Amino acid sequence: MTTVKRSSVIKRPLILTLALLSVPLIGTRISDEVHWTGFDFVVAGILLFAINTSVLLLWRRLPQFKSIPWIIALVLLFLILWAELAVGVFGSPLAGS
């Protein structure tokens, strides 16, 4: 693996993560209904960066027909975890319930 590919494995997910986090940042600044703390941004950033990097690596390393089920499973896991952290869908201690 060359240096260019290694840097793009971090660079692309980082740019996408920052772009996605700009939405709640703008919402927090212009509305009282969106209230994210610094901790919320850190947790969301870690989750988004991890899922972005994982999907990119799976897409590059596995043949397409093998990577798609893994990517779907990762995205579903991410959405379940995000929903649990956001509103406590399952009532686990992870959500503060």
Side-chain angles (χ1 to χ4, degrees):
M1 184 180 277
T2 65
T3 310
V4 174
K5 286 186 180 181
R6 284 186 190 156
S7 69
S8 69
V9 169
I10 293 178
K11 189 176 178 182
R12 289 181 183 174
L14 184 61
I15 291 170
L16 182 58
T17 299
L18 293 175
L20 290 171
L21 285 176
S22 69
V23 174
L25 179 64
I26 292 168
T28 300
R29 298 289 180 213
I30 64 173
S31 174
D32 291 335
E33 294 179 10
V34 180
H35 179 70
W36 277 39
T37 63
F39 182 72
D40 295 328
F41 281 101
V42 169
V43 170
I46 291 169
L47 284 173
L48 287 169
F49 183 75
I51 190 73
N52 289 333
T53 305
S54 299
V55 166
L56 181 64
L57 288 174
L58 280 172
W59 190 257
R60 286 185 178 181
R61 305 250 181 210
L62 294 176
Q64 192 173 20
F65 68 94
K66 287 185 178 180
S67 66
I68 290 176
W70 285 104
I71 291 171
I72 291 171
L74 274 174
V75 170
L76 287 175
L77 179 66
F78 166 76
L79 291 174
I80 290 169
L81 183 59
W82 188 278
E84 179 61 22
L85 289 172
V87 294
V89 173
F90 304 109
S92 72
L94 188 63
S97 299

PDB file of all heavy atoms in Angstrom, residues 1 5 11 20 25-27 30 32-33 43 45-47 56-57 62-63 69 71-72 76 81 91-93 96-97:
ATOM      1  N   MET A   1       0.846  -1.172   0.000  1.00  0.00           N
ATOM      2  CA  MET A   1       0.000   0.000   0.000  1.00  0.00           C
ATOM      3  C   MET A   1       0.890   1.233   0.000  1.00  0.00           C
ATOM      4  O   MET A   1       1.789   1.360   0.807  1.00  0.00           O
ATOM      5  CB  MET A   1      -0.912  -0.026   1.226  1.00  0.00           C
ATOM      6  CG  MET A   1      -1.891   1.123   1.241  1.00  0.00           C
ATOM      7  SD  MET A   1      -2.959   1.112   2.668  1.00  0.00           S
ATOM      8  CE  MET A   1      -4.189  -0.011   2.134  1.00  0.00           C
ATOM      9  N   LYS A   5      -2.503   6.047  -0.842  1.00  0.00           N
ATOM     10  CA  LYS A   5      -3.681   5.289  -0.442  1.00  0.00           C
ATOM     11  C   LYS A   5      -3.891   5.350   1.066  1.00  0.00           C
ATOM     12  O   LYS A   5      -5.011   5.431   1.534  1.00  0.00           O
ATOM     13  CB  LYS A   5      -3.571   3.840  -0.899  1.00  0.00           C
ATOM     14  CG  LYS A   5      -3.789   3.665  -2.375  1.00  0.00           C
ATOM     15  CD  LYS A   5      -3.823   2.214  -2.744  1.00  0.00           C
ATOM     16  CE  LYS A   5      -4.053   2.056  -4.246  1.00  0.00           C
ATOM     17  NZ  LYS A   5      -4.123   0.661  -4.632  1.00  0.00           N
ATOM     18  N   LYS A  11      -8.102  10.607   5.082  1.00  0.00           N
ATOM     19  CA  LYS A  11      -8.516  11.923   4.605  1.00  0.00           C
ATOM     20  C   LYS A  11      -9.985  11.955   4.177  1.00  0.00           C
ATOM     21  O   LYS A  11     -10.736  12.844   4.596  1.00  0.00           O
ATOM     22  CB  LYS A  11      -7.618  12.330   3.439  1.00  0.00           C
ATOM     23  CG  LYS A  11      -7.787  13.733   2.974  1.00  0.00           C
ATOM     24  CD  LYS A  11      -6.761  14.007   1.882  1.00  0.00           C
ATOM     25  CE  LYS A  11      -6.869  15.376   1.305  1.00  0.00           C
ATOM     26  NZ  LYS A  11      -5.899  15.571   0.231  1.00  0.00           N
ATOM     27  N   LEU A  20     -20.542  16.082   7.739  1.00  0.00           N
ATOM     28  CA  LEU A  20     -21.770  15.645   8.413  1.00  0.00           C
ATOM     29  C   LEU A  20     -21.959  16.322   9.761  1.00  0.00           C
ATOM     30  O   LEU A  20     -23.077  16.644  10.152  1.00  0.00           O
ATOM     31  CB  LEU A  20     -21.763  14.120   8.574  1.00  0.00           C
ATOM     32  CG  LEU A  20     -21.935  13.318   7.293  1.00  0.00           C
ATOM     33  CD1 LEU A  20     -21.697  11.834   7.559  1.00  0.00           C
ATOM     34  CD2 LEU A  20     -23.313  13.533   6.698  1.00  0.00           C
ATOM     35  N   LEU A  25     -23.853  21.374  13.936  1.00  0.00           N
ATOM     36  CA  LEU A  25     -23.167  22.574  14.406  1.00  0.00           C
ATOM     37  C   LEU A  25     -23.922  23.829  13.971  1.00  0.00           C
ATOM     38  O   LEU A  25     -24.159  24.734  14.781  1.00  0.00           O
ATOM     39  CB  LEU A  25     -21.732  22.615  13.889  1.00  0.00           C
ATOM     40  CG  LEU A  25     -20.918  23.839  14.304  1.00  0.00           C
ATOM     41  CD1 LEU A  25     -20.721  23.863  15.816  1.00  0.00           C
ATOM     42  CD2 LEU A  25     -19.585  23.861  13.591  1.00  0.00           C
ATOM     43  N   ILE A  26     -24.329  23.858  12.723  1.00  0.00           N
ATOM     44  CA  ILE A  26     -25.114  24.999  12.230  1.00  0.00           C
ATOM     45  C   ILE A  26     -26.463  25.045  12.945  1.00  0.00           C
ATOM     46  O   ILE A  26     -26.923  26.117  13.347  1.00  0.00           O
ATOM     47  CB  ILE A  26     -25.282  24.907  10.701  1.00  0.00           C
ATOM     48  CG1 ILE A  26     -23.932  25.110  10.013  1.00  0.00           C
ATOM     49  CG2 ILE A  26     -26.299  25.931  10.200  1.00  0.00           C
ATOM     50  CD1 ILE A  26     -23.918  24.772   8.537  1.00  0.00           C
ATOM     51  N   GLY A  27     -27.086  23.878  13.128  1.00  0.00           N
ATOM     52  CA  GLY A  27     -28.359  23.828  13.839  1.00  0.00           C
ATOM     53  C   GLY A  27     -28.253  24.314  15.268  1.00  0.00           C
ATOM     54  O   GLY A  27     -29.143  25.005  15.769  1.00  0.00           O
ATOM     55  N   ILE A  30     -27.998  28.260  15.141  1.00  0.00           N
ATOM     56  CA  ILE A  30     -29.112  29.098  14.694  1.00  0.00           C
ATOM     57  C   ILE A  30     -30.449  28.770  15.359  1.00  0.00           C
ATOM     58  O   ILE A  30     -31.404  29.509  15.178  1.00  0.00           O
ATOM     59  CB  ILE A  30     -29.270  29.038  13.159  1.00  0.00           C
ATOM     60  CG1 ILE A  30     -29.639  27.637  12.696  1.00  0.00           C
ATOM     61  CG2 ILE A  30     -28.028  29.538  12.473  1.00  0.00           C
ATOM     62  CD1 ILE A  30     -29.981  27.541  11.223  1.00  0.00           C
ATOM     63  N   ASP A  32     -32.610  27.151  18.973  1.00  0.00           N
ATOM     64  CA  ASP A  32     -32.584  26.695  20.361  1.00  0.00           C
ATOM     65  C   ASP A  32     -33.081  25.254  20.496  1.00  0.00           C
ATOM     66  O   ASP A  32     -32.943  24.644  21.550  1.00  0.00           O
ATOM     67  CB  ASP A  32     -33.460  27.603  21.235  1.00  0.00           C
ATOM     68  CG  ASP A  32     -32.865  28.986  21.383  1.00  0.00           C
ATOM     69  OD1 ASP A  32     -31.626  29.118  21.255  1.00  0.00           O
ATOM     70  OD2 ASP A  32     -33.630  29.944  21.618  1.00  0.00           O
ATOM     71  N   GLU A  33     -33.662  24.715  19.448  1.00  0.00           N
ATOM     72  CA  GLU A  33     -34.192  23.361  19.489  1.00  0.00           C
ATOM     73  C   GLU A  33     -33.109  22.297  19.326  1.00  0.00           C
ATOM     74  O   GLU A  33     -33.305  21.155  19.702  1.00  0.00           O
ATOM     75  CB  GLU A  33     -35.256  23.183  18.417  1.00  0.00           C
ATOM     76  CG  GLU A  33     -36.481  24.035  18.677  1.00  0.00           C
ATOM     77  CD  GLU A  33     -37.534  23.886  17.604  1.00  0.00           C
ATOM     78  OE1 GLU A  33     -37.397  22.979  16.765  1.00  0.00           O
ATOM     79  OE2 GLU A  33     -38.479  24.657  17.618  1.00  0.00           O
ATOM     80  N   VAL A  43     -18.504  12.157  20.433  1.00  0.00           N
ATOM     81  CA  VAL A  43     -19.054  10.802  20.253  1.00  0.00           C
ATOM     82  C   VAL A  43     -19.539  10.610  18.818  1.00  0.00           C
ATOM     83  O   VAL A  43     -19.239   9.592  18.180  1.00  0.00           O
ATOM     84  CB  VAL A  43     -20.192  10.535  21.265  1.00  0.00           C
ATOM     85  CG1 VAL A  43     -20.927   9.246  20.946  1.00  0.00           C
ATOM     86  CG2 VAL A  43     -19.640  10.493  22.676  1.00  0.00           C
ATOM     87  N   GLY A  45     -18.552  12.232  16.185  1.00  0.00           N
ATOM     88  CA  GLY A  45     -17.382  12.235  15.316  1.00  0.00           C
ATOM     89  C   GLY A  45     -16.677  10.896  15.305  1.00  0.00           C
ATOM     90  O   GLY A  45     -16.279  10.400  14.242  1.00  0.00           O
ATOM     91  N   ILE A  46     -16.525  10.291  16.476  1.00  0.00           N
ATOM     92  CA  ILE A  46     -15.878   8.977  16.560  1.00  0.00           C
ATOM     93  C   ILE A  46     -16.709   7.931  15.823  1.00  0.00           C
ATOM     94  O   ILE A  46     -16.175   7.125  15.047  1.00  0.00           O
ATOM     95  CB  ILE A  46     -15.650   8.573  18.029  1.00  0.00           C
ATOM     96  CG1 ILE A  46     -14.572   9.469  18.654  1.00  0.00           C
ATOM     97  CG2 ILE A  46     -15.289   7.103  18.150  1.00  0.00           C
ATOM     98  CD1 ILE A  46     -14.452   9.332  20.157  1.00  0.00           C
ATOM     99  N   LEU A  47     -18.020   7.932  16.053  1.00  0.00           N
ATOM    100  CA  LEU A  47     -18.889   6.961  15.383  1.00  0.00           C
ATOM    101  C   LEU A  47     -18.887   7.152  13.864  1.00  0.00           C
ATOM    102  O   LEU A  47     -18.762   6.185  13.110  1.00  0.00           O
ATOM    103  CB  LEU A  47     -20.318   7.075  15.906  1.00  0.00           C
ATOM    104  CG  LEU A  47     -20.586   6.488  17.277  1.00  0.00           C
ATOM    105  CD1 LEU A  47     -22.007   6.830  17.719  1.00  0.00           C
ATOM    106  CD2 LEU A  47     -20.402   4.992  17.259  1.00  0.00           C
ATOM    107  N   LEU A  56     -15.158   2.311   3.775  1.00  0.00           N
ATOM    108  CA  LEU A  56     -14.149   2.531   2.727  1.00  0.00           C
ATOM    109  C   LEU A  56     -13.179   1.364   2.634  1.00  0.00           C
ATOM    110  O   LEU A  56     -12.878   0.883   1.536  1.00  0.00           O
ATOM    111  CB  LEU A  56     -13.383   3.832   3.003  1.00  0.00           C
ATOM    112  CG  LEU A  56     -12.318   4.209   1.979  1.00  0.00           C
ATOM    113  CD1 LEU A  56     -12.948   4.495   0.624  1.00  0.00           C
ATOM    114  CD2 LEU A  56     -11.516   5.392   2.470  1.00  0.00           C
ATOM    115  N   LEU A  57     -12.713   0.870   3.770  1.00  0.00           N
ATOM    116  CA  LEU A  57     -11.775  -0.253   3.756  1.00  0.00           C
ATOM    117  C   LEU A  57     -12.428  -1.532   3.237  1.00  0.00           C
ATOM    118  O   LEU A  57     -11.817  -2.276   2.474  1.00  0.00           O
ATOM    119  CB  LEU A  57     -11.186  -0.471   5.144  1.00  0.00           C
ATOM    120  CG  LEU A  57     -10.194   0.585   5.606  1.00  0.00           C
ATOM    121  CD1 LEU A  57      -9.794   0.335   7.051  1.00  0.00           C
ATOM    122  CD2 LEU A  57      -8.978   0.618   4.710  1.00  0.00           C
ATOM    123  N   LEU A  62     -12.459  -5.996  -0.265  1.00  0.00           N
ATOM    124  CA  LEU A  62     -13.236  -7.174  -0.643  1.00  0.00           C
ATOM    125  C   LEU A  62     -13.850  -6.983  -2.026  1.00  0.00           C
ATOM    126  O   LEU A  62     -14.103  -5.854  -2.435  1.00  0.00           O
ATOM    127  CB  LEU A  62     -14.365  -7.407   0.367  1.00  0.00           C
ATOM    128  CG  LEU A  62     -13.959  -7.787   1.781  1.00  0.00           C
ATOM    129  CD1 LEU A  62     -15.197  -7.888   2.650  1.00  0.00           C
ATOM    130  CD2 LEU A  62     -13.206  -9.097   1.795  1.00  0.00           C
ATOM    131  N   PRO A  63     -14.131  -8.094  -2.704  1.00  0.00           N
ATOM    132  CA  PRO A  63     -14.885  -7.967  -3.951  1.00  0.00           C
ATOM    133  C   PRO A  63     -16.266  -7.376  -3.650  1.00  0.00           C
ATOM    134  O   PRO A  63     -16.805  -7.558  -2.556  1.00  0.00           O
ATOM    135  CB  PRO A  63     -15.021  -9.408  -4.444  1.00  0.00           C
ATOM    136  CG  PRO A  63     -14.006 -10.190  -3.701  1.00  0.00           C
ATOM    137  CD  PRO A  63     -13.734  -9.457  -2.424  1.00  0.00           C
ATOM    138  N   PRO A  69     -22.902  -6.999   1.744  1.00  0.00           N
ATOM    139  CA  PRO A  69     -23.574  -7.452   2.974  1.00  0.00           C
ATOM    140  C   PRO A  69     -22.880  -6.952   4.247  1.00  0.00           C
ATOM    141  O   PRO A  69     -23.551  -6.606   5.223  1.00  0.00           O
ATOM    142  CB  PRO A  69     -23.506  -8.977   2.888  1.00  0.00           C
ATOM    143  CG  PRO A  69     -23.289  -9.283   1.459  1.00  0.00           C
ATOM    144  CD  PRO A  69     -22.538  -8.129   0.891  1.00  0.00           C
ATOM    145  N   ILE A  71     -21.146  -4.172   4.544  1.00  0.00           N
ATOM    146  CA  ILE A  71     -21.416  -2.735   4.647  1.00  0.00           C
ATOM    147  C   ILE A  71     -22.832  -2.498   5.161  1.00  0.00           C
ATOM    148  O   ILE A  71     -23.049  -1.649   6.034  1.00  0.00           O
ATOM    149  CB  ILE A  71     -21.174  -2.036   3.290  1.00  0.00           C
ATOM    150  CG1 ILE A  71     -19.671  -2.037   2.986  1.00  0.00           C
ATOM    151  CG2 ILE A  71     -21.733  -0.626   3.288  1.00  0.00           C
ATOM    152  CD1 ILE A  71     -19.310  -1.571   1.600  1.00  0.00           C
ATOM    153  N   ILE A  72     -23.787  -3.254   4.664  1.00  0.00           N
ATOM    154  CA  ILE A  72     -25.174  -3.131   5.146  1.00  0.00           C
ATOM    155  C   ILE A  72     -25.246  -3.453   6.633  1.00  0.00           C
ATOM    156  O   ILE A  72     -25.902  -2.745   7.405  1.00  0.00           O
ATOM    157  CB  ILE A  72     -26.118  -4.024   4.319  1.00  0.00           C
ATOM    158  CG1 ILE A  72     -26.250  -3.474   2.903  1.00  0.00           C
ATOM    159  CG2 ILE A  72     -27.487  -4.149   4.978  1.00  0.00           C
ATOM    160  CD1 ILE A  72     -26.977  -4.387   1.940  1.00  0.00           C
ATOM    161  N   LEU A  76     -26.365  -0.808   9.543  1.00  0.00           N
ATOM    162  CA  LEU A  76     -27.469  -1.120  10.461  1.00  0.00           C
ATOM    163  C   LEU A  76     -27.018  -1.074  11.917  1.00  0.00           C
ATOM    164  O   LEU A  76     -27.727  -0.543  12.778  1.00  0.00           O
ATOM    165  CB  LEU A  76     -28.068  -2.484  10.127  1.00  0.00           C
ATOM    166  CG  LEU A  76     -28.905  -2.548   8.856  1.00  0.00           C
ATOM    167  CD1 LEU A  76     -29.337  -3.989   8.571  1.00  0.00           C
ATOM    168  CD2 LEU A  76     -30.109  -1.645   8.961  1.00  0.00           C
ATOM    169  N   LEU A  81     -27.020   1.763  17.100  1.00  0.00           N
ATOM    170  CA  LEU A  81     -26.231   2.404  18.151  1.00  0.00           C
ATOM    171  C   LEU A  81     -26.554   3.889  18.241  1.00  0.00           C
ATOM    172  O   LEU A  81     -26.705   4.439  19.328  1.00  0.00           O
ATOM    173  CB  LEU A  81     -24.739   2.187  17.900  1.00  0.00           C
ATOM    174  CG  LEU A  81     -23.776   2.723  18.941  1.00  0.00           C
ATOM    175  CD1 LEU A  81     -24.063   2.102  20.302  1.00  0.00           C
ATOM    176  CD2 LEU A  81     -22.344   2.447  18.525  1.00  0.00           C
ATOM    177  N   GLY A  91     -33.463   1.147  26.036  1.00  0.00           N
ATOM    178  CA  GLY A  91     -33.400   1.376  27.468  1.00  0.00           C
ATOM    179  C   GLY A  91     -32.155   0.814  28.140  1.00  0.00           C
ATOM    180  O   GLY A  91     -32.180   0.455  29.308  1.00  0.00           O
ATOM    181  N   SER A  92     -31.067   0.737  27.415  1.00  0.00           N
ATOM    182  CA  SER A  92     -29.835   0.194  27.975  1.00  0.00           C
ATOM    183  C   SER A  92     -29.091   1.266  28.784  1.00  0.00           C
ATOM    184  O   SER A  92     -29.347   2.456  28.639  1.00  0.00           O
ATOM    185  CB  SER A  92     -28.931  -0.322  26.856  1.00  0.00           C
ATOM    186  OG  SER A  92     -28.383   0.753  26.128  1.00  0.00           O
ATOM    187  N   PRO A  93     -28.148   0.856  29.621  1.00  0.00           N
ATOM    188  CA  PRO A  93     -27.349   1.823  30.365  1.00  0.00           C
ATOM    189  C   PRO A  93     -26.495   2.710  29.455  1.00  0.00           C
ATOM    190  O   PRO A  93     -26.095   3.793  29.845  1.00  0.00           O
ATOM    191  CB  PRO A  93     -26.433   0.953  31.238  1.00  0.00           C
ATOM    192  CG  PRO A  93     -27.055  -0.385  31.258  1.00  0.00           C
ATOM    193  CD  PRO A  93     -27.864  -0.517  30.021  1.00  0.00           C
ATOM    194  N   GLY A  96     -28.061   5.967  29.115  1.00  0.00           N
ATOM    195  CA  GLY A  96     -28.261   6.698  30.362  1.00  0.00           C
ATOM    196  C   GLY A  96     -29.553   6.329  31.062  1.00  0.00           C
ATOM    197  O   GLY A  96     -29.981   7.008  31.978  1.00  0.00           O
ATOM    198  N   SER A  97     -30.207   5.248  30.644  1.00  0.00           N
ATOM    199  CA  SER A  97     -31.463   4.840  31.264  1.00  0.00           C
ATOM    200  C   SER A  97     -31.211   4.019  32.512  1.00  0.00           C
ATOM    201  O   SER A  97     -30.256   3.329  32.641  1.00  0.00           O
ATOM    202  CB  SER A  97     -32.297   4.012  30.281  1.00  0.00           C
ATOM    203  OG  SER A  97     -32.598   4.782  29.152  1.00  0.00           O
TER     204      SER A  97
END
